[in-house]
């Protein structure tokens, strides 16, 4: 049960990231969340929306796995691993904050799902 709760939390985090990247990127809230300058945010808005769409696919996969219940174990693990790897890459190339926002929750969910199996 804890693994599913953590998986749901990771899905919600990614739903919020979708909203930030696709809707709020070029707003003061988006600038603050991603430490952006307005001119850069405006110039990169389309790229951010594309990035947001991919985060939406991750959230959708996690929700799908949760919907399937115990039969969704492999799907949840796959998408959580995708989130963790993406977070590691983002942490190495963009900023360490990503490790705590993305990677850590995904790894905790992976561990909890694995132990609860």
């Amino acid at each position: 049960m804890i693994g599913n709760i953590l998986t749901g939390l990771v899905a919600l985090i990614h739903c919020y990231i979708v909203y930030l990247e696709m809707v709020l990127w070029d707003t003061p809230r988006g600038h603050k969340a991603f430490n952006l300058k307005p001119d850069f945010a405006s110039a990169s808005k389309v790229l951010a929306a594309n990035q947001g769409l991919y985060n939406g696919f991750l959230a959708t996969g996690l929700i799908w796995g949760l919907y399937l219940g115990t039969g969704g174990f492999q799907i949840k693990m796959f998408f959580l691993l995708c989130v963790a790897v993406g977070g590691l890459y983002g942490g190495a190339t963009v900023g360490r904050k990503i490790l705590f926002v993305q990677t850590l929750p995904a790894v905790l969910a992976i561990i909890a799902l694995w132990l609860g199996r």
Side-chain angles (χ1 to χ4, degrees):
M1 183 168 143
I2 293 172
N4 283 331
I5 291 169
L6 291 173
T7 300
L9 176 65
V10 174
L12 287 174
I13 289 169
H14 278 75
C15 287
Y16 183 63
I17 292 170
V18 169
Y19 182 64
L20 283 171
E21 292 175 341
M22 295 188 84
V23 178
L24 299 179
W25 185 263
D26 198 16
T27 68
R29 190 168 169 191
H31 300 167
K32 183 179 178 186
F34 295 104
N35 196 28
L36 302 171
K37 295 188 177 175
D39 56 332
F40 176 79
S42 180
S44 61
K45 187 174 181 173
V46 173
L47 292 173
N50 186 13
Q51 188 171 287
L53 183 64
Y54 283 91
N55 278 298
F57 293 144
L58 292 172
T60 302
L62 292 169
I63 293 166
W64 176 35
L66 288 168
Y67 172 77
L68 293 174
T70 56
F73 176 80
Q74 292 175 329
I75 292 166
K76 289 181 278 192
M77 292 299 276
F78 172 79
F79 282 98
L80 286 168
L81 286 168
C82 288
V83 169
V85 170
L88 288 172
Y89 183 79
T93 59
V94 176
R96 294 177 72 168
K97 178 181 173 183
I98 295 172
L99 294 172
F100 298 102
V101 173
Q102 232 178 290
T103 308
L104 182 61
V107 168
L108 291 175
I110 289 168
I111 292 168
L113 284 173
W114 190 263
L115 291 176
R117 188 162 190 213

